[in-house]
């Protein structure tokens, strides 16, 4: 039995990851704003500190894996919330878990997004990469939701790529999954909003394999990256998107 912790395990992809880890016989500590072992709001500094302090107590013996999954969708306002949860909240939780995962030579998986490789706002992404939360949040509020969301996931994925070698020397393998369209509460909300419904229906219809992904598809990929079978995989971004990325960027990989 392994010891795992994660953010965002209350619903959607995170809940499927938690359930799969439970089915495999592991213990999972969930950090989430609701329905969690550690309830914390990762949009705020106080919430992040509370989450990390509680996790350090619960998992003092070490963790075999940590998954940074919590996030809000591109339709959530103010858009600065996307910045503070999806980027700064994710990194704070990973940094809080790092030494615990290192104790067990474990693995870290970041839930990024296929949106990370779409058009982005250079200034916003630069502010994120410089760690300027106040300025990046202010910039997000001047953008549209998709640009704030995609830029946040791009910066998060770059952060993973920049830090995975340092983490590897500590015994921690770090990777990301990049989900494409996946049927979760986050997407259902957007898919039924007048502003996003049409674009989302078109996007869904374009998925090469002909169907939308499920949270269980994302959980399968995440648990593979966490497992010893993936021991030589480090710093990779695994697209779990039914072929959408290859369709949009056939010459990039
Ligand atoms: P979801 O809304 O079902 O799950 C998000 C989880 O994050 C929930 O448990 C929620 O309570 C938690 N959360 C939200 N705000 C929080 C906060 N301030 N503090 C702590 N926890 C908070 O959505 P999902 O689709 O399962 O999303 C999970 C991850 O997958 C997100 O990072 C999202 O960006 C990413 N993703 C989803 C899709 C998709 O199509 N559904 C595609 C690409 C990436």
């Amino acid at each position: 039995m392994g010891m795992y912790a994660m953010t965002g395990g209350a619903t959607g992809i995170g809940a499927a990851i938690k359930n799969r880890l439970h089915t495999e016989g592991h213990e999972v500590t969930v950090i989430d704003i609701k329905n969690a072992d550690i309830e914390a709001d990762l949009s705020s500094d106080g919430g992040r500190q509370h989450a990390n302090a509680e996790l350090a107590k619960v998992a003092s013996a070490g963790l075999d894996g940590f998954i940074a999954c919590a996030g809000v969708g591109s339709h959530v306002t103010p858009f600065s919330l996307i910045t503070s949860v999806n980027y700064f909240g994710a990194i704070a939780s990973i940094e809080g878990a790092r030494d615990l995962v290192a104790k067990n030579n474990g693995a870290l998986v970041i839930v990024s997004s296929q949106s990370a490789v779409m058009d982005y706002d250079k200034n916003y992404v630069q502010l994120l990469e410089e760690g300027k939360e106040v300025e990046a949040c202010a910039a997000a509020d001047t953008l549209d939701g998709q640009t704030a969301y995609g830029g946040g996931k791009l910066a998060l994925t770059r952060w993973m790529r920049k830090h995975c070698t340092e983490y590897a020397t500590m015994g921690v393998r770090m990777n990301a999954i990049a989900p494409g369209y996946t049927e979760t509460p986050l997407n259902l909300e957007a898919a039924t909003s007048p502003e996003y419904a049409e674009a989302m229906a078109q996007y869904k219809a374009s998925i090469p394999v002909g169907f939308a992904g499920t949270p269980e598809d994302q959980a399968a990929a995440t648990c593979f990256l966490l497992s010893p079978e993936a021991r030589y995989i480090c710093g990779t971004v695994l697209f779990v998107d039914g072929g959408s990325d290859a369709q949009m960027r056939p010459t990039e990989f």
Side-chain angles (χ1 to χ4, degrees):
M1 187 186 74
M3 297 292 293
Y4 291 81
M6 64 182 301
T7 67
T11 61
I13 293 170
I17 295 169
K18 174 187 67 182
N19 292 341
R20 190 174 169 122
L21 287 170
H22 279 157
T23 307
E24 290 174 2
H26 304 303
E27 247 183 59
V28 187
T29 299
V30 172
I31 299 164
D32 203 293
I33 199 163
K34 60 181 188 232
N35 303 332
D37 304 296
I38 301 172
E39 292 204 353
D41 178 356
L42 295 173
S43 72
S44 76
D45 212 31
R48 295 167 198 158
Q49 282 177 26
H50 169 68
N52 288 345
E54 290 304 305
L55 184 64
K57 285 186 215 159
V58 176
S60 58
L63 287 169
D64 298 293
F66 184 84
I67 308 104
C69 183
V72 294
S74 57
H75 60 292
V76 168
T77 53
F79 296 142
S80 48
L81 198 58
I82 300 171
T83 310
S84 56
V85 179
N86 295 14
Y87 182 77
F88 290 101
I91 290 175
S93 69
I94 294 161
E95 287 178 335
R98 185 194 64 188
D99 291 350
L100 301 171
V101 179
K103 272 190 186 177
N104 290 12
N105 283 337
L108 262 156
V109 175
I110 293 174
V111 180
S112 178
S113 170
Q114 194 216 339
S115 306
V117 294
M118 295 180 185
D119 285 345
Y120 65 97
D121 182 274
K122 258 191 172 170
N123 174 52
Y124 172 58
V125 171
Q126 189 176 335
L127 290 171
L128 293 171
E129 292 188 290
E130 288 171 359
K132 295 180 174 163
E133 183 163 4
V134 174
E135 293 86 344
C137 284
D141 285 331
T142 68
L143 300 170
D144 62 84
Q146 188 52 43
T147 307
Y149 181 87
K153 293 294 191 181
L154 168 64
L156 182 62
T157 309
R158 283 184 178 169
W159 184 93
M160 183 280 288
R161 295 275 297 173
K162 283 182 204 156
H163 288 80
C164 66
T165 47
E166 176 201 344
Y167 277 44
T169 62
M170 298 174 199
V172 177
R173 274 189 311 108
M174 183 157 62
N175 292 289
I177 61 163
Y181 189 101
T182 307
E183 304 276 17
T184 68
L186 177 147
N187 258 350
L188 282 180
E189 243 178 78
T192 49
S193 81
E195 203 183 334
Y196 292 95
E198 199 187 321
M200 290 196 65
Q202 274 176 15
Y203 184 79
K204 195 172 159 181
S206 76
I207 301 169
V209 296
F211 57 88
T214 63
E216 289 71 27
D217 291 319
Q218 305 304 336
T222 301
C223 289
F224 166 66
L225 289 175
L226 289 170
S227 76
E229 282 182 283
R231 66 177 201 152
Y232 201 49
I233 302 178
C234 179
T236 206
V237 183
L238 177 55
F239 284 83
V240 188
D241 67 352
S244 296
D245 179 56
Q247 184 179 50
M248 280 182 215
R249 304 185 311 145
T251 59
E252 310 276 331
F253 59 90

